[in-house]
Every structure is written in C-alpha cells, then in structure tokens.
Amino acid sequence: MILLVLLMACDRQQGQVPAEGEAAKPVHGDTFIEASIGEPNNLLPVLSSDSASSDINGLVYNGLVRYDKNLQLEGELAESWDISEDQLTITFHLRKDVTWHDGAPFTSEDVLFTYQMYIDPKVPTSYAEDFLQVAKADALDPYTFRVTYKEPFAPALESWGTAVQPKHLLEGQDITKSPLTRSPVGTGPYKFIKWDAGEKIELQANPDYFEGQPNIHRVVYRVIPDTSTQFLELQSGGLDMMGLTPIQFKTQTDTPAFIRNFNKYSYLSFSYTYLGYNLSKPLFQDQRVRQAISYAINKQEIIDGVLLGLGEIATGPYKPDTWVYNKNVKRYPYDPDRSRTLLAEAGWVDSDDDGILDKDGQKLAFTIVTNQGNDLRSKTAEIIQRRLKEVGIAIEIRIVEWATFLKEFIFPGNFDATILGWSGGPEPDQYNIWHSSKTAPRELNFIKYKNAEVDKLLEQGRRTFDQAERKKIYDRFQEILAEEQPYTFLYVAEALPAVAKRFRGIEPSPAGITYNFIKWWVPESEQKYTR
C-alpha cells in the first residue's frame, strides 16, 4: 500500500552505455512494459490506496504540485502560488494550456470539485484528513484557486499534489459506481486505453500533454503475481523493467546477456516493512507481548538472509538518512531470553510442556497474513515463525492474493497480524496512519492504534513550520512507537530496479529514476514495437 508516490534517494547505479552512433536527440515511439504483482483496486484516485492503482494513476492524473528530482516542491497543474504572511492562505495560479483526455478544458472548478469530493462524508476515501483542515476554498476565476486553512498546516502545500479529478465527468454521481473507477480520464502524460482484467492495463502517450507528448508511445502494466515469473519475463524480453529481489540482483543478473541488455540501480527506498498487530485483539493489547515478539525476532538475520544485506534495520516510520529520523529510540536487539522473561511477566507459561506457552487455557498462537507475490515478505514470515517458536509462540502464515488481501482482511480488520510496508516521501506527517481518528474501515490506521499523546504530537507536528521544532515533536513520536511496539519495525530495503538498456534519458537523482519518465526514449534503431 502506498500513501504517496514512492520517492527514493539514489546511492549508486550502473551507467548507461550509449549505442555507437546513437542520435543525441530523443525520438518518439516504442512501448514500455512493466509488471504488477496485483490487479489495481480502483483507478479513481479518491478511492484507491494501493500501489498497483497508484502506479497507473500517477501517469494518468496530475496534482497542482509535485516533487522535483531533488525532492523540492514545484508546480505541475499550478504555474505558481502565493502564500500569505500568516501562512493560512495559498493562492494557486493554474496553467491555461491543460485539457482533460476527453478534450474538455481544465479549470479551477475541477480543483474545487476535487476538494469537495474529498471532504464529502459519503465518499469512502482514505485521504480526507488533509482537506478537512481547510476553512474555505474558492475558484476565484477559471485559472485562480484560493484555499484558506483554519490553523497553520505544515503539509498544506504538499497536500495539493493529490490528483485533480474531472468535475464534468463525476459531478452528481455516486463516485463508487463511476465508470472512471475502471476507465480513468485525467490530464496526465498518458491516456487510459484498456484494462484486460487479470492480464494487463494499457496506456498511450497523450499528444496534447501540457509538458509535451511523452517520448515512449505506449505503457503496458502486466499483472504477474509472482516475482520469479516476472524475472523470467524480464530476461526473455516480455518486461522492460522490474524491481529485482536481492537474490536476483546479487546472484542472477551477472550474466553477459543480462549485463548487455539491462542497467541495474540500487538506492535506499523511502519505505519500510513491518509486522503490524491488530490491537483490537486481546492478545496484542499487552505491551509486554508485543515487546517480547520484537526481542524474539532477529532483524539482522532477515536483512542478511532475505535481503542479502541490501537494507537496514528499521526502528520507526522514517528513513534512516532523513532529518526527521530519531537514532536514539529504544531498540530491540535479538534477545530470546528477554523475550521469554517478558512473556512470563505477562502470565504466559508452558503448563502442559508442549513447547507452546498458554494462559487461562488459551495457547499463545496467532496467524500472520501477507500478500501473494512478494517473496521478501513470505520469507520474512517464515523466519519470524521459526524464531517465535523458539520462545513458545505458535505462528501460522497465510498468503493471500493482493485484491482479496485488502478487501477481506486489511480493510475490515479481519487479521491477527500482518506483514506489510508503507511508502512515503520527504513530508514527515504520519497523521493518517497513526492518529486514533483514522481507524474506520478503509482508513489507514487499520491496526486500531490509539494513544492520546501520539494524537497530540501528530496534531502539533502538522501545525509547526519550524523544522527544529518539528524535529522535537517527531522525535518524541518515534520514542513512543518504539516503546509501545504497535508494529515490530523490521527493515528499510534498498530499491533494486532493472531497466532495459534501450531506454535512454534515465537520470538517477534523490527522487529515484522514474521522476522524468516522460523524457525517456529509445533510438529508432532499437525500438521493439511499432505502436
């Protein structure tokens, strides 16, 4: 699942090798084929919160602002903006050369409608919170949009990176039944062409895109729920890009054929993987049990064995090399003896000598559920299962297809514990994931975490503009999470994309490699597809 577009900082990469005699000027044409482990959940941004949907929506829609290659905010649908001295009002000046994919003009009325849609209580969105901070929004004229906040709101400008959606196609409709959930119409660089359920989604370059027609003519997302199958497809030419697994990156891509055909990149991602506990379950309401589980898990073993060293131990929700990261929080080194002591203090003993702890006639046992198609998560679950058994905890593992996983387990809270990951960006606001008001169905605090001090800190953090003061607030936030362990924070993995070498124009930066995708191109002599 994804909160924002995945943004990553580059550490190292293999350089591109231009073909001899290659033309310096980019040309149009060819097709880019990528894979997704799951079917998108919904292609209307207001309703989608999964990565498969976000990948598509990121090419079909635009926001008013976006992050540039150096992770600084710049205009997208907005040419510029003015911020009042009290920092409560933002006036956006919109581009005048933008049309929707059906030819209708883009105006400030679309921005106002998008705002109104997000705050509509009848719309089941996970992302209303930022817009509920607004006191007043006005479309002053077709190309001027003004928004005024009730109180200072630090993530205000960044929040308008949310995809703007078309008023003329959605107004007066039941959003959940709109045709746009399956056939989106945006302003973005690519137009939706078709969705073959369970097979692929096809996009085509928008010739009228306000930043110029993308060089790559067509983009295809293939639904391939297994990374091993994806890798075979990559090697055979059926895919042009995939995120490699660590074993693929380290041991299976050093062949002459792979080196000849692909470039590999590696950088620490703006994401982390965690074991999250459903805190509505009585078993997990005792902090000592959660801490005991964390002590029983050897995180370095997971990084070495599953990631092959391509990652770092996670201690909280922030990337270790960012300004907001608190390096001084409580840590949970592998300590099975400490784990057993905490469990005993919580009343769990092995009364019948079967190797599994029990209490009041109940076995200390639960199920970890995670999604199909992610070998890193399933292997992590297996290591956790083995380590927890050593301290007397019985674990079952359930692997579920992505769409079913979300619909039947995560969204309704029908799980004991889950291995999942969050992706984010430079803005440290974590309100939607951790605030106690965000526990309703389809909202992002699906583990039902509630802490009054955390609520207060999250509210203060988003009202504070001074970075030093925000640092103090989020340091304390991380201290509480580290003490209470509503998640066992596992690891921050390196992103390991491989891209076919025929694609030129890739420029690694703090924002990763895909921020300038519309500039990628393929020399005519190397193009594989004619449409």
Side-chain angles (χ1 to χ4, degrees):
M1 300 177 69
I2 199 158
L3 281 175
L4 299 172
V5 175
L6 179 59
L7 300 170
M8 297 167 285
C10 181
D11 289 334
R12 61 185 183 273
Q13 65 281 328
Q14 295 179 348
Q16 295 185 32
V17 181
E20 186 175 352
E22 174 186 313
K25 186 177 181 180
V27 295
H28 295 282
D30 213 355
T31 294
F32 177 83
I33 304 176
E34 193 173 356
S36 172
I37 62 171
E39 190 103 38
N41 183 260
N42 196 303
L43 294 183
L44 195 59
V46 68
L47 302 179
S48 65
S49 57
D50 63 293
S51 58
S53 302
S54 297
D55 288 343
I56 304 294
N57 290 337
L59 293 177
V60 173
Y61 292 93
N62 300 108
L64 297 187
V65 299
R66 66 186 174 199
Y67 283 106
D68 68 12
K69 67 179 183 179
N70 295 313
L71 301 177
Q72 301 298 311
L73 286 171
E74 65 177 4
E76 191 169 24
L77 290 175
E79 284 185 328
S80 62
W81 55 86
D82 304 309
I83 300 176
S84 62
E85 288 188 11
D86 62 8
Q87 298 188 332
L88 293 177
T89 299
I90 307 174
T91 303
F92 290 99
H93 307 286
L94 308 182
R95 299 184 66 117
K96 300 179 175 66
D97 55 349
V98 180
T99 58
W100 294 97
H101 293 160
D102 63 358
F106 160 77
T107 72
S108 60
E109 290 293 332
D110 295 303
V111 186
L112 179 61
F113 172 79
T114 297
Y115 156 73
Q116 292 169 337
M117 183 171 58
Y118 274 91
I119 65 170
D120 185 344
K122 297 178 183 177
V123 176
T125 182
S126 301
Y127 302 111
E129 182 58 36
D130 286 354
F131 300 102
L132 292 173
Q133 306 308 307
V134 172
K136 186 179 181 182
D138 295 295
L140 302 182
D141 63 46
Y143 300 104
T144 308
F145 177 74
R146 177 173 293 165
V147 58
T148 300
Y149 287 84
K150 305 171 187 176
E151 306 176 70
F153 185 54
L157 183 59
E158 187 265 352
S159 72
W160 291 99
T162 298
V164 179
Q165 289 145 83
K167 176 181 179 179
H168 67 288
L169 297 177
L170 293 170
E171 188 176 32
Q173 293 190 21
D174 179 346
I175 300 296
T176 63
K177 297 179 181 178
S178 169
L180 272 64
T181 61
R182 300 280 303 181
S183 181
V185 176
T187 56
Y190 283 87
K191 293 183 176 183
F192 173 85
I193 300 300
K194 64 178 180 178
W195 181 348
D196 296 331
E199 183 181 350
K200 65 180 179 181
I201 290 177
E202 183 176 329
L203 309 176
Q204 186 169 299
N206 176 8
D208 303 315
Y209 188 51
F210 57 85
E211 291 185 310
Q213 179 179 336
N215 294 321
I216 305 301
H217 176 69
R218 191 171 64 126
V219 175
V220 176
Y221 283 86
R222 295 178 57 193
V223 179
I224 305 177
D226 177 73
T227 53
S228 296
T229 304
Q230 287 185 19
F231 188 56
L232 292 173
E233 287 287 337
L234 183 75
Q235 292 173 296
S236 67
L239 294 177
D240 295 310
M241 176 176 172
M242 74 168 285
L244 300 174
T245 66
I247 194 168
Q248 290 165 352
F249 186 89
K250 276 205 163 184
T251 68
Q252 299 174 7
T253 54
D254 56 355
T255 64
F258 196 93
I259 294 170
R260 183 171 61 251
N261 293 319
F262 295 95
N263 286 312
K264 294 192 301 182
Y265 304 84
S266 175
Y267 37 81
L268 197 64
S269 65
F270 262 104
S271 63
Y272 64 92
T273 296
Y274 62 88
L275 173 64
Y277 309 107
N278 187 340
L279 301 179
S280 66
K281 303 280 186 177
L283 172 62
F284 298 119
Q285 290 172 3
D286 190 326
Q287 176 176 299
R288 293 170 296 185
V289 172
R290 303 192 301 269
Q291 290 180 334
I293 293 172
S294 293
Y295 278 120
I297 296 171
N298 189 335
K299 297 180 184 179
Q300 193 60 50
E301 176 185 37
I302 294 171
I303 291 171
D304 293 340
V306 177
L307 301 184
L308 302 185
L310 298 172
E312 297 185 19
I313 290 174
T315 60
Y318 299 117
K319 189 167 171 262
D321 58 0
T322 56
W323 65 268
V324 73
Y325 179 74
N326 184 352
K327 65 181 180 180
N328 298 316
V329 299
K330 180 176 181 177
R331 293 174 181 257
Y332 293 81
Y334 176 56
D335 190 344
D337 290 335
R338 178 61 178 150
S339 176
R340 294 184 186 98
T341 299
L342 284 167
L343 292 171
E345 290 177 3
W348 293 95
V349 297
D350 185 5
S351 62
D352 55 6
D353 294 323
D354 67 348
I356 304 301
L357 303 180
D358 56 82
K359 178 181 177 181
D360 300 329
Q362 176 189 351
K363 294 291 184 183
L364 183 45
F366 61 91
T367 298
I368 295 175
V369 61
T370 193
N371 61 287
Q372 184 184 56
N374 190 316
D375 288 343
L376 302 185
R377 292 177 186 170
S378 60
K379 290 175 181 176
T380 296
E382 291 169 4
I383 291 175
I384 291 173
Q385 180 185 48
R386 184 170 67 251
R387 289 301 182 191
L388 293 189
K389 184 178 180 181
E390 293 174 356
V391 299
I393 303 174
I395 298 298
E396 291 187 7
I397 300 170
R398 187 166 184 183
I399 311 294
V400 184
E401 183 273 328
W402 178 250
T404 303
F405 172 69
L406 295 178
K407 183 178 179 181
E408 297 186 11
F409 294 87
I410 297 302
F411 290 157
N414 182 28
F415 64 94
D416 296 330
T418 183
I419 294 178
L420 263 177
W422 286 118
S423 297
E427 169 54 49
D429 180 35
Q430 295 274 310
Y431 191 99
N432 281 331
I433 297 176
W434 294 105
H435 198 275
S436 63
S437 66
K438 294 298 168 183
T439 58
R442 297 188 69 89
E443 291 191 314
L444 303 183
N445 185 358
F446 47 75
I447 66 164
K448 314 298 183 187
Y449 178 69
K450 297 180 181 180
N451 179 293
E453 186 180 357
V454 165
D455 283 354
K456 184 178 179 180
L457 290 166
L458 293 172
E459 291 159 9
Q460 289 176 337
R462 58 189 3 210
R463 307 288 175 219
T464 303
F465 288 83
D466 181 80
Q467 187 174 103
E469 290 302 311
R470 292 191 94 192
K471 171 69 172 166
K472 294 177 184 177
I473 292 167
Y474 289 118
D475 275 357
R476 177 58 184 154
F477 164 58
Q478 291 169 78
E479 289 172 1
I480 295 171
L481 293 186
E483 178 65 28
E484 297 196 340
Q485 290 292 285
Y487 291 173
T488 292
F489 295 93
L490 296 171
Y491 56 78
V492 179
E494 291 192 21
L496 306 170
V499 186
K501 275 190 176 177
R502 75 179 191 279
F503 291 95
R504 310 295 202 268
I506 300 174
E507 298 177 357
S509 74
I513 63 170
T514 59
Y515 70 94
N516 70 333
F517 179 74
I518 67 170
K519 304 290 187 182
W520 293 15
W521 61 285
V522 179
E524 288 185 4
S525 61
E526 296 181 46
Q527 292 183 11
K528 292 175 60 176
Y529 304 93
T530 57
R531 70 178 184 90

